[in-house]
Amino acid sequence: MEEGFAIWANPSSPHAEGRKAKNALEDARDRVKKSLGWDGEVIFTSGASEAAALAIAHAKVDRRAVSAVEHDAVFLDGEGSFDSVMPVGENGRVSRGEIYEALAVTGTSPNDGRPTTLLCQQHVNSETGACFNVSGMHRVLGNFHGCLMLSDCSQSAGKLELPSTDMAIVSAHKLGGPIGIGALLVRDYALLNPTGGHERGYRRGTENLPGAMGFAAALDAGGWLTTAEQREAFFASLGDARLSFAGQVDYIGAVAHPTISAQALLIKLDAMGIAVSAGSACSSGTLKKSRVLDAFGIDDKTAKRTIRVSIGWNTTQQDLERFSEAWVGLT
């Protein structure tokens, strides 16, 4: 990022300094694509929220469908524009039947070509750690001519292999990069209506070159300070306190205390130097029941005692042991 700050010019400027900035930006773009294994295009944004807004507003479709457990960045960006909301079934699975029903509501039929639909389905849920079979859902969409899949991969990019999808949302700070930079991965620019401006005409505002370079550097560095076995053992040690969902990842969990409210838990754990949350960061400032936990079918009493525990790239085994000790003390 320091190297990026030293390149002061606008990457769209035609002079020598601008060309230098452009070369650095394209190098960062290529590194992001290579690290994520993405063979399509990369549009740098200010983060996941902007990437979601860009995709939802400018995808070349007539209708839009969304799963009920999407992050607020997706769910609220499309508020009023979603024609169908897909419920999640047992243990948080979205069935083939629910996909077909959502597409039927939007008026899409197999291979008829009109109207086309954008189906929004996250890869990993940020509050529960449930992992969805996005690639399988994308295959189902292959039976519907012109339908597109948008997957929020903010919680999986750099940690899991990207699923098969037409567009993906990624965020740098979720994988050790800087805040204020993310990207919309798109299979082909032709899937979007251009807005004019930078990023091949698909985004307004000068590109954040230091952020893009920091994003690429974080992906290049990769790695965890804990192993998959340590992370799995940590959640296993919490027993039934961790709510169970389909295909859970080993770095996010919804954990319910038997008696203490989530808000009280946050205060107690914060006093011990442990940072957790209740719900997503975009909505955890409220005292309302989590919309996501409600959609997953968690009863009100349990939801009020549930916190989100996540393990970052820089979390150590000592951190996990400290949380376990604190949890035992609180229970």
Side-chain angles (χ1 to χ4, degrees):
M1 289 185 71
E2 289 180 354
E3 293 175 12
F5 281 119
I7 305 174
W8 58 267
N10 188 321
S12 296
S13 298
H15 48 60
E17 290 296 329
R19 296 195 301 273
K20 180 180 179 181
K22 182 72 169 180
N23 289 338
L25 182 68
E26 295 310 312
D27 175 68
R29 195 188 315 276
D30 288 342
R31 288 160 61 197
V32 167
K33 289 172 62 173
K34 182 178 180 180
S35 293
L36 294 176
W38 182 254
D39 59 2
E41 308 295 345
V42 172
I43 300 173
F44 284 122
T45 64
S46 61
S49 295
E50 185 193 349
L54 194 162
I56 293 168
H58 298 287
K60 291 182 178 178
V61 295
D62 302 299
R63 306 295 181 88
R64 293 161 180 80
V66 63
S67 84
V69 296
E70 295 299 308
H71 191 281
D72 280 349
V74 172
F75 204 87
L76 297 182
D77 271 325
E79 193 170 28
S81 65
F82 288 123
D83 301 279
S84 179
V85 177
M86 293 186 300
V88 292
E90 185 180 359
N91 290 328
R93 293 186 184 277
V94 177
S95 69
R96 179 184 292 250
E98 287 160 348
I99 299 172
Y100 276 103
E101 183 175 344
L103 295 177
V105 170
T106 65
T108 300
S109 301
N111 300 314
D112 68 355
R114 286 293 170 181
T116 55
T117 298
L118 175 69
L119 189 67
C120 304
Q121 175 61 62
Q122 65 193 185
H123 191 199
V124 171
N125 183 263
S126 64
E127 294 186 37
T128 65
C131 186
F132 293 89
N133 183 10
V134 172
S135 295
M137 297 173 73
H138 193 221
R139 286 193 295 271
V140 172
L141 283 192
N143 297 320
F144 295 79
H145 179 77
C147 287
L148 304 177
M149 169 74 80
L150 168 66
S151 184
D152 179 5
C153 297
S154 300
Q155 295 291 349
S156 62
K159 304 178 180 78
L160 305 177
E161 183 179 350
L162 285 178
S164 172
T165 184
D166 298 297
M167 291 184 279
I169 299 166
V170 295
S171 177
H173 76 267
K174 295 296 185 183
L175 43 84
I179 291 174
I181 186 73
L184 176 64
L185 311 183
V186 57
R187 179 166 49 80
D188 191 311
Y189 286 127
L191 302 179
L192 298 170
N193 289 307
T195 60
H198 300 277
E199 290 297 278
R200 310 295 199 280
Y202 290 89
R203 180 181 185 264
R204 297 178 183 180
T206 303
E207 292 95 341
N208 177 1
L209 177 57
M213 294 174 70
F215 190 177
L219 280 168
D220 288 344
W224 298 76
L225 296 185
T226 54
T227 65
E229 290 76 14
Q230 288 172 326
R231 297 191 294 273
E232 290 168 359
F234 164 73
F235 278 118
S237 71
L238 301 180
D240 293 340
R242 186 189 189 186
L243 304 184
S244 179
F245 301 95
Q248 286 176 308
V249 296
D250 61 15
Y251 51 88
I252 299 174
V255 180
H257 193 277
T259 58
I260 303 176
S261 72
Q263 294 300 322
L265 282 171
L266 262 60
I267 294 170
K268 290 176 181 290
L269 290 169
D270 182 57
M272 300 177 193
I274 298 172
V276 296
S277 62
S280 69
C282 292
S283 61
S284 59
T286 71
L287 296 178
K288 297 186 298 182
K289 177 183 178 182
S290 163
R291 170 183 58 80
V292 168
L293 292 182
D294 191 45
F296 272 113
I298 305 302
D299 65 86
D300 290 355
K301 289 184 178 179
T302 302
K304 289 178 181 178
R305 295 182 276 102
T306 298
I307 60 173
R308 171 189 184 271
V309 178
S310 60
I311 301 171
W313 66 272
N314 58 346
T315 304
T316 66
Q317 176 62 16
Q318 289 70 34
D319 294 331
L320 300 183
E321 292 171 358
R322 193 156 58 91
F323 179 93
S324 295
E325 291 172 3
W327 187 260
V328 169
L330 290 170
T331 54

